[in-house]
Amino acid sequence: MTLKVVVVGAGVVGAACAFHAASAGMDVAVVDRGPVGAGTTSRGEGNILLSDKEPGPELDLARLSRTLWEEIGQELGPASFELEPKGGLVVAGTAEGLAALHAFAARQAAAGVHIEPVTRLREVEPLITPGLRGGVLYSQDAQVQPVLATAALLRAAVRRGARLHTGEVVGAVTGGAGRVTGVRMGAGEVLPADAVVNAAGTWGGEVGRRLGAPVEVLPRRGFVLVTEPLPVVVRHKVYSADYVANVASSDAGLETSCVVEGTRGGTILIGASRERVGFDTTMNTAVVARLAVQACRLFPFLREVHLIRAYRGFRPYCPDHLPVVGPDPRVTGVVHACGHEGAGIGLAPATGALVTAHLLGRPWRGADPAAHTGLLPDRFFTSGGAPQ
């Protein structure tokens, strides 16, 4: 019997889940209340990073995902979503910061990440500010155009039989023993399902609640600045070492750390900010100014470059800053794939493969459920199913 799967969310994670599930021969329906990739996916920089991840469950998923992005590029054509293996350069301005960065990189290297300490930074990035103490080059870091990547994955899923639905999931339909048998849409329509994948990004907590399986997924607002198009002047994704600490922080206040990278279209993207303000979409010009100042300190030539726009969005994160991927122990048939914070684009292919492996009950495309137990939703619950 063909497994019927409803994927809730047409962002990059939902698209990757649909791509892998359809490739495995499942009957897949993708549901979203808005356009493809219109949520957090459209507000990201397209990063595929190993450089910012501590050894552990997320880095393990990221390493698999980096391989799968390469395979997807070979299958779908890397130009179709601007897959660019540009590499990342992490820099430190003080001796203490450089020592901490080298220690962090050594732990990553022991986990299988390719690293290269750099002392002459201007040989790698000729226009970077002088006086920095050094850095680490991560050759495996890459970038995609996130909306193009999402669309490419969904087109491939549709070619394999998947269907797209526009609408809002308002609840689960359950049968014997509380197992999911479908989802109820806002207009009353029921989509039959043997399994429902919660890939709703920032709204993953609410969708989980509607399915009877709530998970704590919270929004974290971030801004990205975009410059006028330029020739190639920034060769890598370049960021300061304090970015890693800011990613892992649970502080509610504003945090910014300098991140600068070019795009294939010539624009330069500048980030990154993080703040817990709920779903407040207010444009904060003070954050924009702060990011611009930090970017100009790292690359002084940017003082003469025009900004053409700034955009903001919400990164969906869990309290322990790890995504939640796998079957929910409270409602049979619900599988979560959300809470990736700012790493959803990079982690999407491996998340989709891991979800598919859980649905199949066996490894799929290098993803083995037994190797990724640290991402399961039951880490948030006691044996009785109550929140910890």
mmCIF file of all heavy atoms in Angstrom, residues 52 135 198 204 221 258 279 356:
data_model
loop_
_atom_site.group_PDB
_atom_site.id
_atom_site.type_symbol
_atom_site.label_atom_id
_atom_site.label_comp_id
_atom_site.label_asym_id
_atom_site.label_seq_id
_atom_site.Cartn_x
_atom_site.Cartn_y
_atom_site.Cartn_z
ATOM 1 N N ASP A 52 29.442 27.285 11.543
ATOM 2 C CA ASP A 52 28.884 27.873 12.765
ATOM 3 C C ASP A 52 28.307 26.841 13.722
ATOM 4 O O ASP A 52 27.633 27.206 14.687
ATOM 5 C CB ASP A 52 27.797 28.890 12.405
ATOM 6 C CG ASP A 52 26.603 28.256 11.700
ATOM 7 O OD1 ASP A 52 26.748 27.134 11.173
ATOM 8 O OD2 ASP A 52 25.532 28.883 11.664
ATOM 9 N N GLY A 135 42.016 33.969 11.099
ATOM 10 C CA GLY A 135 40.710 33.361 10.901
ATOM 11 C C GLY A 135 40.828 31.898 10.522
ATOM 12 O O GLY A 135 41.914 31.293 10.565
ATOM 13 N N ASN A 198 4.884 18.144 9.956
ATOM 14 C CA ASN A 198 4.803 19.535 10.399
ATOM 15 C C ASN A 198 6.085 20.256 9.999
ATOM 16 O O ASN A 198 7.079 20.249 10.715
ATOM 17 C CB ASN A 198 4.598 19.587 11.908
ATOM 18 C CG ASN A 198 4.655 21.005 12.471
ATOM 19 O OD1 ASN A 198 4.562 21.981 11.726
ATOM 20 N ND2 ASN A 198 4.804 21.111 13.779
ATOM 21 N N GLY A 204 5.412 26.345 13.240
ATOM 22 C CA GLY A 204 5.425 24.930 13.589
ATOM 23 C C GLY A 204 4.803 24.639 14.935
ATOM 24 O O GLY A 204 4.180 23.582 15.130
ATOM 25 N N ARG A 221 13.348 37.514 15.396
ATOM 26 C CA ARG A 221 13.396 38.423 14.244
ATOM 27 C C ARG A 221 14.831 38.731 13.837
ATOM 28 O O ARG A 221 15.709 38.905 14.676
ATOM 29 C CB ARG A 221 12.672 39.736 14.575
ATOM 30 C CG ARG A 221 12.491 40.660 13.369
ATOM 31 C CD ARG A 221 11.681 41.885 13.731
ATOM 32 N NE ARG A 221 12.400 42.779 14.644
ATOM 33 C CZ ARG A 221 11.853 43.849 15.203
ATOM 34 N NH1 ARG A 221 10.581 44.149 14.962
ATOM 35 N NH2 ARG A 221 12.564 44.619 16.012
ATOM 36 N N CYS A 258 28.678 40.634 12.707
ATOM 37 C CA CYS A 258 28.874 40.999 11.308
ATOM 38 C C CYS A 258 28.974 39.777 10.398
ATOM 39 O O CYS A 258 29.784 38.882 10.625
ATOM 40 C CB CYS A 258 30.142 41.848 11.182
ATOM 41 S SG CYS A 258 30.294 42.601 9.569
ATOM 42 N N PHE A 279 6.066 38.276 16.931
ATOM 43 C CA PHE A 279 5.894 38.415 15.487
ATOM 44 C C PHE A 279 5.793 39.883 15.078
ATOM 45 O O PHE A 279 5.112 40.227 14.117
ATOM 46 C CB PHE A 279 4.661 37.636 15.018
ATOM 47 C CG PHE A 279 4.867 36.148 15.007
ATOM 48 C CD1 PHE A 279 4.431 35.364 16.057
ATOM 49 C CD2 PHE A 279 5.513 35.525 13.957
ATOM 50 C CE1 PHE A 279 4.618 33.988 16.060
ATOM 51 C CE2 PHE A 279 5.711 34.152 13.942
ATOM 52 C CZ PHE A 279 5.266 33.382 14.994
ATOM 53 N N THR A 356 11.805 11.193 5.728
ATOM 54 C CA THR A 356 11.448 10.072 4.858
ATOM 55 C C THR A 356 11.921 8.751 5.443
ATOM 56 O O THR A 356 11.206 7.735 5.393
ATOM 57 C CB THR A 356 12.041 10.294 3.461
ATOM 58 O OG1 THR A 356 11.511 11.514 2.921
ATOM 59 C CG2 THR A 356 11.705 9.139 2.521
#
